[in-house]
Amino acid sequence: MKVKVISRSTDEFTRERSNDLQRVFRNFDPSLRTQEKAVEYVRALNAAKMEKIFARPFVGAMDGHIDSVSCMAKNPNHLKGIFSGSMDGDIRLWDIASRRTICQFPGHQGAVRGLTASTDGRILVSCGTDCTVRLWNVPLATGMESDDSSDNSAKQLAAYVWKNAFWAVDHQCDGNLFATAGAQVDIWDHNRSQPVNSFEWGKDTVISVRFNPGEPNVLATSASDRSIAIYDLRMSSPTTKLIMRTRTNSISWNPMEPMNFTAANEDCSCYSYDARKLDEAKCVHKDHVSAVMDIDYSPTGREFVTGSYDRTIRIFQYNGGHSREIYHTKRMQRYTLSTNNCVLTEICHQHRVFCVKFSCDGSYVISGSDDTNLRLWKANASEQLGVLLPRERKNHEYREAVKNRYKHLPEVKRIVRHRHLPKPIFKASALRRIMIDAERKKDERRRAHSAPGSIPRESIRKKRIIKEIE
């Protein structure tokens, strides 16, 4: 009689050395894993919940300014350095790693409205309401490690006085030219004290200017007459002008798709356009409840960050209609009660976000508001800081893959999409939805009681555009 027994050799599962990995034997035959989908579904739920538990986006605040932060600029050569300008004329260079001031740039007598760094990162260009453009020498990267540099003042290379105030400045991605926005668009050279070229289309103030990252001779501007204009330095006149129903506060080009740009608008939305076809927006990004003040793309071009007058920061996918993340702090949304002749009144602390930037590596977001603070946030709220072990990295990748596989199911989708909103934002969002629904019903009723075809349907991508001028 033969007896069948299960036997195995100890050499197959015993480690030769204590540092070796433990051998694990698995059978991947799907017929032997009848509960595979159920197990993975539970893992997806746990991964979504763990992401919420460990979502701590706020890293820290950088304080030092004594007035509202009005503008910021990145240095392409210094990964952990960022410039900021305030309404009292103070310009500072910050070290993001230590969250302290490295250098100050004194000289402006009014509000600093624009900052930009040159292509090689050695020159900082600033402009403001004191009708001056100033060029500064940027300290080397080795100076960012010194401990006693908080009182250092940078050297000013040049100061150009002009006829009117400036509202924005931007430098070419590859070249020695930079553009200023004010009563007109002026093109400057580092070695010239007068503009080498000027563009003017109408008599309204230009409030923002951005050079194209792929084509150094193309730039886009927005003006107070609700227009967005495209200029080409190789031509003597502007090329295209788009007039919208509300004003555009800022513009940002997609670094990976340089023909596309996104405009931050006063009507609480952002509009992505193709510069070759401006009669229709490629995408409308909605969720803010007040004017969008600034916008900046990630270096990957897959998402962008916006700062709004409603005291929140949102991160959007480049092709997504709604934000994937909303950042705020209690201080940014705090309400207090004050007494005036025994009458209680509710006062909101003003912490409007005026400028936002992605870090050069896309891992962090920096915001500046009118409470004089710069705040540092993680681009991914639940991302673990520090060095990850290989096994930790594989665990994070597996959780992300399982969550993406089951993200269409109701329970997982509800957990992933949920965001806690401050009470003022929640109420304003509900009121905004009611107003949009009322407007939609009014249009439907007007169309139902009119002759067929007399009131054409208008796409939301075209509704905010009045006309295009060439």
Side-chain angles (χ1 to χ4, degrees):
M1 183 179 66
K2 293 181 179 180
V3 178
K4 295 183 178 180
V5 297
I6 299 175
S7 64
R8 59 180 178 176
S9 173
T10 56
D11 297 334
E12 295 179 356
F13 60 89
T14 304
R15 294 182 292 182
E16 296 179 1
R17 291 178 294 274
S18 60
N19 293 331
D20 292 346
L21 294 177
Q22 187 72 42
R23 296 182 183 181
V24 179
F25 296 92
R26 294 176 181 173
N27 191 333
F28 293 98
D29 185 2
S31 62
L32 299 178
R33 302 181 65 199
T34 55
Q35 299 295 321
E36 177 187 9
K37 287 188 176 181
V39 171
E40 286 193 344
Y41 174 70
V42 173
R43 289 177 180 173
L45 276 177
N46 291 337
K49 293 176 183 178
M50 293 284 282
E51 184 183 22
K52 294 298 175 187
I53 292 173
F54 292 106
R56 298 290 185 272
F58 182 65
V59 178
M62 296 177 280
D63 57 341
H65 286 292
I66 60 174
D67 208 339
S68 304
V69 181
S70 55
C71 56
M72 291 192 299
K74 294 181 287 188
N75 193 329
N77 281 4
H78 295 170
L79 183 62
K80 60 178 184 176
I82 190 164
F83 302 97
S84 66
S86 66
M87 299 295 284
D88 63 344
D90 185 24
I91 302 173
R92 292 173 180 251
L93 170 60
W94 300 86
D95 182 10
I96 297 178
S98 61
R99 300 200 293 275
R100 61 186 178 88
T101 302
I102 298 300
C103 185
Q104 289 184 263
F105 304 81
H108 279 283
Q109 302 300 318
V112 180
R113 285 296 184 178
L115 289 175
T116 186
S118 61
T119 307
D120 56 6
R122 296 182 179 180
I123 297 177
L124 173 68
V125 183
S126 65
C127 67
T129 56
D130 57 355
C131 306
T132 60
V133 177
R134 299 177 186 268
L135 274 61
W136 310 85
N137 184 28
V138 177
L140 298 177
T142 55
M144 303 190 74
E145 278 75 26
S146 60
D147 296 330
D148 57 347
S149 59
S150 59
D151 296 331
N152 286 354
S153 296
K155 179 182 178 183
Q156 181 173 301
L157 299 178
Y160 308 143
V161 181
W162 200 232
K163 296 174 290 187
N164 40 53
F166 297 101
W167 288 89
V169 64
D170 194 41
H171 201 283
Q172 269 186 328
C173 296
D174 185 15
N176 292 324
L177 300 179
F178 62 91
T180 57
Q184 59 187 5
V185 179
D186 297 316
I187 311 300
W188 303 73
D189 193 298
H190 290 180
N191 303 318
R192 299 279 298 274
S193 60
Q194 297 287 328
V196 296
N197 200 353
S198 295
F199 295 99
E200 188 176 4
W201 197 340
K203 298 299 181 182
D204 292 273
T205 303
V206 183
I207 56 177
S208 71
V209 57
R210 284 288 184 275
F211 272 100
N212 191 305
E215 179 52 62
N217 293 314
V218 175
L219 66 151
T221 65
S222 64
S224 57
D225 62 347
R226 313 185 309 276
S227 66
I228 299 173
I230 307 293
Y231 296 86
D232 193 334
L233 302 185
R234 295 164 295 189
M235 302 175 63
S236 59
S237 61
T239 57
T240 311
K241 189 175 185 180
L242 179 71
I243 298 178
M244 302 185 67
R245 295 189 182 275
T246 48
R247 192 179 73 174
T248 297
N249 291 319
S250 183
I251 292 174
S252 182
W253 294 90
N254 190 328
M256 293 292 106
E257 299 175 357
M259 74 289 293
N260 299 331
F261 67 90
T262 304
N265 207 271
E266 283 276 343
D267 66 350
C268 315
S269 301
C270 297
Y271 298 89
S272 293
Y273 290 98
D274 189 332
R276 303 165 297 183
K277 188 175 182 295
L278 291 175
D279 59 343
E280 181 180 3
K282 288 173 62 69
C283 186
V284 180
H285 313 274
K286 302 177 290 185
D287 268 347
H288 280 295
V289 295
S290 189
V292 187
M293 303 303 295
D294 197 14
I295 183 173
D296 187 50
Y297 260 97
S298 167
T300 61
R302 309 303 293 178
E303 56 190 16
F304 60 87
V305 60
T306 59
S308 174
Y309 205 72
D310 62 9
R311 307 179 296 278
T312 61
I313 299 139
R314 292 183 183 265
I315 299 178
F316 293 83
Q317 298 290 339
Y318 78 106
N319 57 355
H322 296 277
S323 60
R324 72 161 178 87
E325 206 67 75
I326 175 173
Y327 291 161
H328 57 88
T329 62
K330 289 183 178 179
R331 182 176 179 183
M332 294 169 68
Q333 300 290 335
R334 187 173 60 190
Y335 279 73
T336 59
L337 293 176
S338 66
T339 58
N340 185 11
N341 296 330
C342 299
V343 178
L344 289 177
T345 57
E346 194 175 26
I347 300 176
C348 175
H349 289 260
Q350 303 296 318
H351 301 296
R352 318 292 184 182
V353 181
F354 285 149
C355 48
V356 289
K357 290 290 180 186
F358 257 105
S359 62
C360 292
D361 60 351
S363 300
Y364 298 95
V365 170
I366 304 98
S367 65
S369 57
D370 62 354
D371 66 342
T372 74
N373 276 345
L374 275 77
R375 290 182 173 86
L376 184 64
W377 314 79
K378 291 188 287 188
N380 295 315
S382 59
E383 184 180 9
Q384 181 177 341
L385 297 179
V387 179
L388 292 179
L389 297 175
R391 296 172 73 176
E392 289 179 320
R393 184 176 292 106
K394 287 184 179 180
N395 188 20
H396 290 320
E397 292 174 353
Y398 176 73
R399 285 181 181 177
E400 195 67 25
V402 171
K403 189 179 63 177
N404 289 334
R405 182 175 182 181
Y406 293 92
K407 64 182 179 181
H408 61 282
L409 296 179
E411 282 296 319
V412 179
K413 183 191 294 185
R414 182 185 63 83
I415 297 172
V416 170
R417 291 184 57 185
H418 175 74
R419 294 291 182 275
H420 174 72
L421 293 176
K423 193 173 181 180
I425 305 299
F426 182 80
K427 289 184 175 180
S429 300
L431 179 61
R432 186 169 174 79
R433 282 194 296 270
I434 292 174
M435 294 168 62
I436 292 174
D437 289 342
E439 185 179 356
R440 178 181 52 81
K441 290 179 181 178
K442 187 175 181 180
D443 289 342
E444 290 178 354
R445 289 167 181 165
R446 184 182 292 113
R447 189 175 291 107
H449 291 81
S450 302
S454 60
I455 303 178
R457 294 186 179 274
E458 196 172 13
S459 170
I460 190 173
R461 299 182 179 184
K462 295 183 177 181
K463 186 177 292 186
R464 306 302 298 180
I465 300 174
I466 296 179
K467 62 180 177 178
E468 180 183 2
I469 306 172
E470 292 186 357

